[in-house]
Amino acid sequence: MTTWNDETLFSEIESLALDVTEEQYRIQPDLMDRYGRAGFEKSRRDTVYTLNYLAEGVLMDSPSLFLHYIGWLKQLLAGYGLTEADIRKKLELILDRVRAGRQGEMTERTIHILEMGIERTREPAEVPPFIAEDRLFGREARRYLDALLRSDRLGAYGVVDEMFERGETIRDIYRYVFQASQYEVGRLWQTQQISVADEHYCTAITQSAMSRLYAHWIGGERPKRGSVLVSACVGGEMHEIGLRMLTDVFELEGWDTYYMGANADEDRLAETVARRGADIVALSATMTFHVRLMKKLIARLRADERLTGVKIMVGGLPFNVDPFLWKRVGADGYAPDAEVALQEADRILKERTIVATPEEAGEHPEAEGGHQLGS
Ligand code: B12
């Protein structure tokens, strides 16, 4: 039996997942009848995810990261006919192995978080819709998403054009139409109301709708505030639209921004931050199992003597789940969305001005301003 202890927190995940899945299929042979060999493989893969979320919750001392995942898993698996008792059984089998390998503080924490996870399976896990017609721009968001879901690209563009022509701001279109519809697309995928292909299609059209809007504002008149933002997703992270929206909102507000997109290379990021003379680096992670990479990346940036005085802001799903997580990864600030991020950036920069040495507070002569996409 593979066990779990302080040293093997991550290294044994694959074999532990196999062991637990085999045991569950032995105890519940009906699972093989219902889902076959392919179902077994999916279950093993899900267990790898479960253990990664667990390990991340343990390392970050953040039970809520794991508890949020259990709620999400419960809703996801319900679509496949798996019950909360099935999830509980899996967690109990993991708990047995953690207890068997018991040693040290991390193991204690793991047991505690797992026990809470087992309780969490008993609670409701419904995610309410992200679009409601009685919310601000709710009708537009509804029409936009409906167009996407019937593969009507021009219809979706039409909703955006209509809003833009009647004077709604790009910031509002991003927030109330694009962000809301992306969240709703995620919910529809999770509850098996749409396929992965549908989700990819909706996302691609939203990316193109954002790009179409650039023609209206990139390169045009805008306020200039002389602050520089470099933004990137932590290594392995593919979710980049939220960070792109945030970067655009900063650009609209007069920042010079440099967007490095998904899956950023650490050395290139550090190099870019130094070369652009960034005031703030915005780092994004959506998948919880990237949080420890975020912590490592921040430590790496802090250790770079070219980057003294550069401030680091973080965001993305796990930081919204645990609003204190940003402190634990060593960031200077966090915001739940692009709008709040603007205020948070001001707060961070004000704080820097108060404590900065004269050199740190100075201008960045080498900074090359201007909004640039891609890396
Ligand atoms: C599109 C999408 C994808 C696309 C991403 C394409 C792209 N170019 O970005 C692809 C297909 C790659 C993808 C893959 C996966 N995805 Co996905 N994806 C989504 C989806 C539907 C939309 C993401 C999005 O555009 N959101 C809209 C933006 C505007 O919102 P946001 O990211 O939250 O950003 C805002 C704030 O968080 C904040 N913010 C973000 N970054 C930062 C940074 C700073 C510094 C600050 C201050 C603020 C900040 O400001 C942003 C703007 O307001 C979400 C659903 C969701 N709820 O987000 C699922 C979702 C995130 N995906 C999910 C999953 C499970 C996956 C996969 C594991 C699926 C799989 N089995 O392969 C993979 C993992 C890939 C990886 N390793 O990264 C789950 C995650 C669940 C969980 N509990 O962790 C979600 C929530 C779907 C769901 N409801 O189940 N996905």
Side-chain angles (χ1 to χ4, degrees):
M1 178 165 94
T2 312
T3 56
W4 166 294
N5 59 48
D6 279 13
E7 282 73 46
T8 58
L9 207 56
F10 284 103
S11 57
E12 299 291 338
I13 279 179
E14 287 287 336
S15 58
L16 187 57
L18 180 62
D19 185 14
V20 164
T21 312
E22 281 174 350
E23 177 76 4
Q24 183 160 25
Y25 271 62
R26 248 193 314 272
I27 300 169
Q28 295 175 261
D30 62 301
L31 289 176
M32 192 55 97
D33 302 337
R34 278 156 62 200
Y35 301 106
R37 193 68 216 167
F40 174 87
E41 180 44 32
K42 270 193 179 158
S43 176
R44 189 200 61 79
R45 231 181 31 224
D46 282 347
T47 312
V48 171
Y49 270 113
T50 301
L51 291 168
N52 271 306
Y53 275 83
L54 175 62
E56 207 76 41
V58 170
L59 279 182
M60 293 298 144
D61 198 6
S62 174
S64 48
L65 289 182
F66 186 62
L67 300 184
H68 178 270
Y69 166 76
I70 293 298
W72 172 83
L73 187 68
K74 185 174 165 182
Q75 191 174 47
L76 181 81
L77 295 186
Y80 294 92
L82 286 157
T83 64
E84 61 179 65
D86 295 326
I87 300 175
R88 217 159 28 241
K89 187 76 225 159
K90 172 84 58 72
L91 296 180
E92 282 162 2
L93 291 171
I94 296 172
L95 184 57
D96 286 347
R97 280 145 183 84
V98 176
R99 285 200 171 118
R102 188 173 197 140
Q103 42 174 288
E105 189 201 326
M106 290 287 198
T107 318
E108 287 300 325
R109 211 187 277 169
T110 311
I111 290 171
H112 182 57
I113 292 182
L114 264 173
E115 285 170 345
M116 285 196 276
I118 289 167
E119 277 317 298
R120 177 71 183 88
T121 60
R122 297 180 206 281
E123 291 163 25
E126 229 92 302
V127 182
F130 290 96
I131 293 180
E133 298 208 358
D134 57 357
R135 289 194 200 147
L136 191 56
F137 301 117
R139 291 166 72 90
E140 288 84 349
R142 180 78 270 155
R143 283 174 51 217
Y144 176 80
L145 182 61
D146 284 349
L148 293 185
L149 294 174
R150 52 170 201 272
S151 305
D152 175 8
R153 182 194 348 213
L154 296 182
Y157 290 163
V159 175
V160 176
D161 291 346
E162 219 177 81
M163 288 181 77
F164 186 76
E165 277 154 23
R166 67 168 198 252
E168 306 304 350
T169 64
I170 286 170
R171 279 166 64 168
D172 280 348
I173 298 173
Y174 272 27
R175 181 182 187 180
Y176 296 107
V177 178
F178 296 154
Q179 178 166 312
S181 60
Q182 282 297 94
Y183 283 172
E184 184 61 6
V185 163
R187 192 186 72 87
L188 294 174
W189 168 78
Q190 187 188 347
T191 50
Q192 300 202 352
Q193 298 179 61
I194 64 170
S195 68
V196 172
D198 296 329
E199 179 269 303
H200 284 15
Y201 177 85
C202 296
T203 298
I205 301 305
T206 292
Q207 284 171 308
S208 68
M210 287 169 71
S211 300
R212 279 177 85 249
L213 283 174
Y214 287 150
H216 294 296
W217 65 276
I218 296 277
E221 282 296 307
R222 67 185 181 108
K224 268 278 190 186
R225 55 168 284 166
S227 307
V228 178
L229 180 88
V230 169
S231 59
C233 293
V234 68
E237 183 61 62
M238 303 304 289
H239 297 91
E240 45 83 29
I241 297 175
L243 187 72
R244 181 167 160 184
M245 283 193 196
L246 176 138
T247 310
D248 288 351
V249 167
F250 274 66
E251 182 76 21
L252 279 160
E253 284 306 298
W255 286 65
D256 290 319
T257 64
Y258 191 77
Y259 169 72
M260 295 186 66
N263 200 3
D265 173 83
E266 288 193 8
D267 291 336
R268 273 199 75 193
L269 173 64
E271 170 63 33
T272 306
V273 174
R275 191 158 48 85
R276 301 281 160 187
D279 296 284
I280 291 195
V281 187
L283 298 176
S284 183
T286 296
M287 301 312 291
T288 292
F289 46 78
H290 291 147
V291 170
R292 78 201 135 101
L293 295 182
M294 180 79 100
K295 190 174 176 184
K296 209 174 115 243
L297 174 61
I298 292 175
R300 151 88 176 80
L301 297 177
R302 300 267 191 232
D304 192 323
E305 57 190 22
R306 296 170 300 173
L307 310 184
T308 315
V310 176
K311 295 293 176 184
I312 302 173
M313 196 163 60
V314 295
L317 182 64
F319 298 96
N320 293 345
V321 167
D322 178 347
F324 300 107
L325 189 61
W326 65 273
K327 292 193 174 178
R328 280 181 229 132
V329 296
D332 298 301
Y334 142 83
D337 61 36
E339 294 296 319
V340 182
L342 280 173
Q343 300 156 26
E344 181 67 350
D346 279 341
R347 179 194 71 77
I348 293 171
L349 290 189
K350 244 183 232 139
E351 211 174 79
R352 183 180 71 169
T353 315
I354 294 165
V355 297
T357 61
E359 304 86 69
E360 282 171 3
E363 288 297 299
H364 305 290
E366 283 150 46
E368 303 160 31
H371 183 278
Q372 308 192 32
L373 293 172
S375 51

